Amino acid sequence: MAAADQAAAAAGRPGLVLMEAAGAAVVREIAARWSKRPVRVLCGPGNNGGDGYVIARLLAARGWPVRVMALEGAPPPGGDAAGMAHLWRGRVDPMTAEDLRPGDLVVDALFGAGLSRPLAGAAAEAVARINALGLTCVGVDVPSGVDGDSGRILGAAPFCALTVTFFHPKPGHLLVPARERIGELVIADIGLPETVLDAAPPRAFVNGPGLWTLPRPAVEGHKFARGHAVVIGGARMTGAARLAARACRRVGAGLLTIACAEEARLIYALDQPGAMVWGIGGEGPIARLLDDPRRNAFLLGPGYGRGAETAALALMLAKGGRALVLDADALTSLSGKLEEFSRTLCYDCVLTPHEGEFRALFAAALGAEAAPERGRLARARAAARASGAVVVLKGPDTVIAAADGRAAISVGAPADLATAGSGDVLAGLVLGLLAQGLPGFEAAAAAVWLHGAAGRAAGPGLIAEDLPEALPALLAALRSAPSPNRRPTDRTV
C-alpha cells in the first residue's frame, strides 16, 4: 500500500484526494448501518488521523453529533493530515478515555496498518475503555494496535463492529488473532487504479477459486490420465491413511494404491474396495513402487509412525522424482534433517504441519524466523524458502506458502474441523490434486479451500468421515459456476 500511494501521487492522484475518498467511504458505510447518534472520532497524528478528520467533517455535514478527540495534538504541519485537520471546523479535544460514554459510536482513526509498536498511554486507555464498555467501534484501515503484516495485537486493539480498508485487504485483516478484532470487513474503492501495483505486485492472496482451477476429466480421458496416487499406510493407526485415501479418490485421482505392512493388508482391502493394496514384503519394498512412472504422487505420514525409518523413507521419496505430500509423523521424523531434505528434494512437495509439527521441523533450522511473534505468514514463507517445498501451516487462518514467495491465506473454515482425522483428509485432498497434475502451490491452496468448504457443508457435529462425502456436491457447484471474478481487490493482500 505504501508503494501504491507513492505510485498514485506520481501519476497525479494526490494524497489529499485519496484521503477525502477514504473518509467518504467510511462515512457511507457508517450511514448505511446506524442511525444518527453521538460519534467520537479518535484521531492520531498521521494519515490515519487525517482520514478521521475527513470522517468527522462529512458526518457533521449530514447532521450527526460529532466530537473529535485527538492524540498528541494537531498533526505535523505540511502533511495531508494537517490539511484535513485544518478543514475541520469543530472543536478538537485531547483524548481522554473517561469522555467515551455508553451509547457512543467510536471511529478509531488513531493508527493504520503500519503501526510497529504497542499501544500505550492515552491510546491504550481509550482502547481499553471501548472494549470494557462494549462500544460500537468502526476501524479505519485496521483497528489500532493491529499489526497489518502479521495480524498480531500490539498491546491492545479494539473489538470493531466494522472495519473499512482501502483498495486491497492487508494480511492482518485475515490472520488470527487480529481477525477477531475486525468485525465486518469492507474493502472500499478510493480511485486507485490497479496499475499502481505494477512496480510492486502483490505476492499474497486470499485463497479461493480465483486463484486456482480444478482439473476436469477429458471426454477422451481414462483413469491413468487422472493420476495414480500412492498412500503409505501404517500397520496400527490405519484410520488415518484410509481417510486420506478416500479423500484422494473423491477429489478425482484416477487410481490409488495403499502400501502397507502385510499384517494390515486385509484392513485396507476391506475398507477401500476401489483401491489397490500393495503389501510391503509380499509385492516388495516401497522403493519398487517407483518403478512404474504412472504412480505419480505419494503421501507419507498419516498414522505411519515416527522414527528413523520414517525419516529415511521420506528422504527416499523426496529424490524419487514424484509429487510428494508429507504430513504428521513424516514431518516430526524429519526433525533435525531439514537441510538434508531440502538438498534431496527434486520435485513438487507439499508439507502440511500444524503448529507443533512446524516447530519440530523448522524451529531449530530457522531460529528467529520461526518465532511466533514473526506471524504465521512470515513464518510459513520462511519455512517454504528453507525447505524448497510448499508449506501449509494449518490453523484457523491456514497459510499456504511457496518457496518463490507466493502465499495464500484461507478464511472461513469452521472450528468444527478441529476433530480427529480432519488433517488426514486434507493431506489426501492435496495428494489427489497433485496426482491430477496441479502444481504444488495450486494443489495445496485448492485442497485447503475444499477442506474448509466441506466442513461448512457438513456443519456442526461433523466427523472426518463426513468431509470426503461432501466433495461431490462442492465439485459439481464449482464446475457449473461461471468463471471466477479475478479482480485483485478480491484476492490479493
Side-chain angles (χ1 to χ4, degrees):
M1 281 304 300
D5 287 343
Q6 293 171 3
R13 191 83 173 156
L16 283 171
V17 173
L18 296 176
M19 192 171 284
E20 184 75 18
V26 177
V27 169
R28 284 195 301 271
E29 300 301 332
I30 290 174
R33 288 164 177 77
W34 293 286
S35 59
K36 292 178 182 178
R37 65 193 62 196
V39 178
R40 302 293 181 259
V41 182
L42 312 185
C43 292
N47 284 344
N48 201 246
D51 295 339
Y53 286 105
V54 176
I55 294 164
R57 171 166 48 84
L58 297 181
L59 280 176
R62 288 174 175 242
W64 290 57
V66 178
R67 180 178 172 188
V68 170
M69 301 168 65
L71 181 69
E72 300 175 6
D80 294 337
M84 291 306 185
H86 179 72
L87 293 177
W88 167 245
R89 299 306 183 189
R91 57 185 284 186
V92 178
D93 297 319
M95 190 179 317
T96 305
E98 288 72 21
D99 287 341
L100 297 173
R101 306 292 174 81
D104 287 346
L105 187 151
V106 180
V107 175
D108 168 21
L110 290 171
F111 299 101
L115 183 69
S116 59
R117 64 183 188 277
L119 290 186
E125 293 169 5
V127 166
R129 187 163 177 84
I130 291 169
N131 291 340
L133 295 179
L135 300 181
T136 300
C137 186
V138 176
V140 179
D141 193 17
V142 298
S144 294
V146 165
D147 184 322
D149 288 332
S150 70
R152 292 187 300 126
I153 304 299
L154 301 175
F159 286 91
C160 291
L162 168 71
T163 298
V164 182
T165 193
F166 316 110
F167 192 38
H168 283 236
K170 285 76 177 172
H173 291 126
L174 310 175
L175 295 166
V176 174
R179 193 171 76 195
E180 299 168 348
R181 309 297 177 106
I182 300 300
E184 180 186 357
L185 177 64
V186 171
I187 303 166
D189 181 0
I190 56 173
L192 283 170
E194 289 296 328
T195 53
V196 300
L197 291 179
D198 289 347
R203 300 287 284 163
F205 303 84
V206 179
N207 191 19
L211 191 57
W212 35 263
T213 300
L214 293 180
R216 295 192 180 195
V219 173
E220 71 280 8
H222 51 83
K223 60 189 177 184
F224 283 102
R226 297 174 66 184
H228 187 165
V230 178
V231 174
I232 301 173
R236 295 181 59 200
M237 298 182 65
T238 61
R242 288 152 59 196
L243 285 166
R246 191 166 189 83
C248 175
R249 294 171 59 213
R250 279 291 189 199
V251 84
L255 296 96
L256 182 131
T257 292
I258 300 175
C260 64
E262 282 290 341
E263 62 266 29
R265 181 179 186 133
L266 185 61
I267 296 173
Y268 288 110
L270 292 175
D271 182 64
Q272 300 275 344
M276 294 171 281
V277 180
W278 175 285
I280 301 170
E283 278 79 6
I286 291 174
R288 281 192 53 196
L289 287 165
L290 295 168
D291 293 344
D292 186 343
R294 294 176 298 181
R295 298 188 184 106
N296 63 338
F298 285 70
L299 167 62
L300 173 66
Y304 192 73
R306 305 175 187 175
E309 176 193 342
T310 306
L313 184 53
L315 292 170
M316 184 269 288
L317 293 171
K319 62 182 179 182
R322 313 297 164 82
L324 178 62
V325 184
L326 297 180
D327 183 40
D329 292 338
L331 298 172
T332 52
S333 296
L334 284 172
S335 178
K337 299 180 182 293
L338 181 62
E339 184 178 350
E340 181 181 0
F341 171 79
S342 64
R343 290 197 312 267
T344 300
L345 187 62
C346 66
Y347 203 70
D348 258 347
C349 179
V350 178
L351 311 178
T352 57
H354 57 54
E355 189 63 44
E357 293 159 350
F358 184 92
R359 289 195 300 269
L361 182 56
F362 293 108
L366 295 181
E369 285 193 290
E373 55 267 25
R374 290 268 296 160
R376 289 168 58 80
L377 178 59
R379 296 165 71 218
R381 279 174 158 158
R385 286 194 305 270
S387 64
V390 174
V391 173
V392 178
L393 180 52
K394 296 184 292 192
D397 50 358
T398 294
V399 176
I400 305 100
D404 63 8
R406 287 177 297 160
I409 303 170
S410 283
V411 297
D416 305 88
L417 284 172
T419 186
S422 174
D424 304 314
V425 172
L426 175 59
L429 294 176
V430 179
L431 176 69
L433 294 173
L434 287 172
Q436 294 172 80
L438 274 190
F441 179 74
E442 288 78 4
V448 169
W449 188 90
L450 287 169
H451 190 248
R456 292 192 298 274
L462 74 85
I463 57 175
E465 290 89 330
D466 298 329
L467 300 174
E469 308 318 307
L471 289 173
L474 291 172
L475 297 173
L478 286 171
R479 286 190 187 183
S480 63
S483 298
N485 186 340
R486 292 174 177 268
R487 290 184 304 146
T489 48
D490 292 335
R491 64 187 186 94
T492 64
V493 292

